[in-house]
Amino acid sequence: MTQIKKNSIIAAAFAIAAATSLTANAQKQTAAPAPILPLPEQKQIDWQKMETYAFIHFGLNTFNDREWGYGDSDPKTFNPTRLDCEQWARTLVASGMKGVILTAKHHDGFCLWPFEGNDYNISQSPYKDGKGNIVRELSDACKKYGLKFAVYLSPWDRSRADYATPGYLPYFYSQLRDLLTNYGDVFEVWFDGANGGDGYYGGACDSRTIDRKNYYNYPRIFEILDSIQPQAVVFGDGGPGCRWVGNEKGFAGETNWAFLRKGEVYPGYPKYKELQYGHADGNQWTPAECDVSIRPGWFYHPEEDGKVKSPDQLVDLYYRSVGHNATLLLNFPVDRDGLIHPVDSANAVRFHKIIERELSHNLVAGMKPKVSNERGAEFAAKALTDNSWDTYWATADGVTTADITFSFKKPQKINRIMLQEYIPLGQRVKKFVVEYLDGKQWKPVSQNEETTTIGYKRLLRFLTVETKGVRVRILDSRGPICLNNVGVFFGGDDAQLTWSPTSEAIKSLPFSLVGISEAEQTKATDRDPQTVLFTTSKELIIDLGKNTEVSQLLYFPDQSDAHRGLIHSYTISACDAKGNVIKTLKSDEFSNIQNNPILQTVTFPATTTRFLKLSADRMVKDGEQIGIAELGVK
Ligand code: FUL
């Protein structure tokens, strides 16, 4: 063979090899894993990346000590004298909040902006002599401080005579249009699931029910929204943009799918507990938002100044919301001065500092982990630690289990891990475990959570270990695994595993309950919320032993998931030993008790009596007995 021939054969061989590798590269470049439905819209991804944002509940309720205004409070009572939306914005930024949702109109119908379609609004109040506009003031403050802005607009309107008739709808739509047109971009629109019931209704003072699925004509509402602000994510019990998490306590399930079965969940959906977990077989991308108030109530009540959630409690909620593939919507009840109360502000800022401290130093940043499978160069393991959200590691088709192993040169103390799936291709992982190297043996870290889904973000707290290795084992997935980030942290020696609630402090005068055995009575007075007294009738007679001046009754409802025996509306009266009424002291509803069964404090005119009667005029669930976890009289 001539040298020329030889050379040309070698050249041809190189060419073939180069072509093969080019083809292989070309294949690798086109070989992204196929998406697995359902998928998020870009706006839902942008929304979830916000992670924590604030709610502001403020309105006539703030000045009338109510959680749900009946619709008849006088606008003249709305009189914040030091209101400063910039103080809100500064506090929220310092608390790590990326945006804020304002109750532009709550159930009572009172508008925080001078809406021209009615006169039940801020222009009728003494605030800035009727020239104020809190939607404007807050949206301006947000622009100044780099926060995103959004609105809560209650579909339920307890002030309107036409509520529950078709006549109300054009009014409601024009409110929505007004808010969406005049105050810049909103990132979310919040439609509350609480709808219909008692109300003032223009003086009718009756109870109205609506067809919760059809009355508001949501398809029409979505058209309006899409035509004005297509980037806004719509919150509703069942989405479509993001969903309620099925509680008002601020946490999502450990297993939490970002999907729902389309069209199944509507406002008032009875199986709302499912919303904590999502529907594993859902076909609509509707991630969960965890709404919770920093205080027991959503609106400001001076008696809750001592009951603001502690920084540790908020940290716990962060891990169980953002760390459970949801967002955290933290409510600040602005006070009667028109400011975020200093205690709320201090606790929220401290909360943010703790989270920053615990999760800022990623011990595996820039490291190249060992992985048991890699789809190809574009999907290599270094994507897990390159601090980029857009690059991801993926496994080959058909590979739904894998190990990711990090080795440290020197033993490291660790107690937190963060995992993220590349959700533009869908949510996939169904089960994983986290292990650490103990000598030569891999052992699971000690934590008390199910390690099932990951989604946009999964955070896990575990007891501190000092180790030279950490391994994440993905045990099951809906398809090839696609993870974009892993973080391993040491949150400090004092970093908590969980926060455990103690029973709410209820101080009370001594009393006994007429006709109820001592053993049963104890359940309502032992300050253990796990034990619940159930009455046999719809009334309870409280014997103070002697004539005593009283002005407050405290009722802590059943805290179990079933929330048994919730009183919807009550009457409190001074009575005799047999329960014959001497004087009625107060009759009202326990607003929002079904969704938020917190300690209920009823204040009535001071009265001297030996016996008090609590009558349940209506139960949340008809026919149930009264359930009382704790009771107090002051
Ligand atoms: C609930 C409402 O009824 C509460 O008052 C509060 O606004 C909360 C965020 O949503 O459904």
Side-chain angles (χ1 to χ4, degrees), residues 166-434:
Y168 168 72
L169 298 178
Y171 170 80
F172 180 55
Y173 300 159
S174 65
Q175 283 185 324
L176 183 63
R177 260 194 221 98
D178 197 14
L179 282 174
L180 296 178
T181 311
N182 295 315
Y183 301 96
D185 282 0
V186 298
F187 69 91
E188 185 170 330
V189 179
W190 223 88
F191 293 121
D192 204 313
N195 278 296
D198 297 350
Y200 178 67
Y201 303 128
C205 299
D206 54 14
S207 187
R208 300 187 178 174
T209 45
I210 52 151
D211 170 353
R212 285 160 171 272
K213 284 189 193 157
N214 301 310
Y215 173 59
Y216 298 110
N217 190 1
Y218 273 106
R220 175 82 196 103
I221 292 178
F222 302 152
E223 263 170 38
I224 298 176
L225 261 155
D226 282 343
S227 68
I228 313 177
Q229 300 233 17
Q231 82 296 336
V233 165
V234 179
F235 168 94
D237 281 14
C242 63
R243 68 174 197 263
W244 184 41
V245 74
N247 65 64
E248 293 185 356
K249 295 182 180 151
F251 66 84
E254 293 156 15
T255 300
N256 181 15
W257 294 100
F259 333 136
L260 288 182
R261 290 183 290 269
K262 197 172 175 170
E264 208 169 293
V265 180
Y266 55 92
Y269 179 63
K271 292 191 271 173
Y272 59 88
K273 287 267 145 64
E274 293 173 2
L275 301 177
Q276 282 181 30
Y277 315 104
H279 294 154
D281 59 350
N283 53 355
Q284 175 183 279
W285 188 274
T286 309
E289 175 185 83
C290 301
D291 60 321
V292 64
S293 185
I294 196 164
R295 291 168 174 245
W298 290 98
F299 284 91
Y300 178 80
H301 308 284
E303 70 272 15
E304 292 181 356
D305 284 352
K307 295 185 181 144
V308 181
K309 289 191 175 64
S310 66
D312 284 344
Q313 204 170 345
L314 296 172
V315 166
D316 183 58
L317 291 180
Y318 174 87
Y319 280 101
R320 293 161 71 208
S321 54
V322 175
H324 284 179
N325 186 30
T327 57
L328 174 61
L329 171 55
L330 180 62
N331 179 60
F332 293 78
V334 163
D335 69 15
R336 290 178 184 165
D337 286 338
L339 298 171
I340 293 181
H341 191 277
V343 177
D344 306 37
S345 154
N347 289 8
V349 173
R350 176 95 192 99
F351 143 72
H352 180 50
K353 293 232 158 83
I354 298 175
I355 291 296
E356 279 192 325
R357 193 199 65 203
E358 293 193 1
L359 300 176
S360 61
H361 182 48
N362 182 0
L363 295 165
V364 300
M367 268 170 79
K368 191 179 177 310
K370 230 176 87 198
V371 286
S372 59
N373 183 278
E374 199 166 270
R375 193 175 183 87
E378 296 82 359
F379 309 102
K382 66 175 187 326
L384 291 166
T385 53
D386 64 358
N387 200 24
S388 156
W389 197 87
D390 300 300
T391 57
Y392 59 98
W393 159 76
T395 57
D397 285 348
V399 178
T400 54
T401 61
D403 289 354
I404 309 162
T405 311
F406 294 95
S407 306
F408 301 120
K409 290 204 179 77
K410 283 189 295 182
Q412 297 278 353
K413 275 189 183 180
I414 58 170
N415 56 20
R416 301 282 186 267
I417 194 159
M418 190 253 324
L419 301 169
Q420 290 197 286
E421 280 190 83
Y422 185 66
I423 54 169
L425 294 177
Q427 187 183 347
R428 298 165 177 240
V429 173
K430 293 204 247 181
K431 200 168 182 205
F432 68 97
V433 289
V434 176

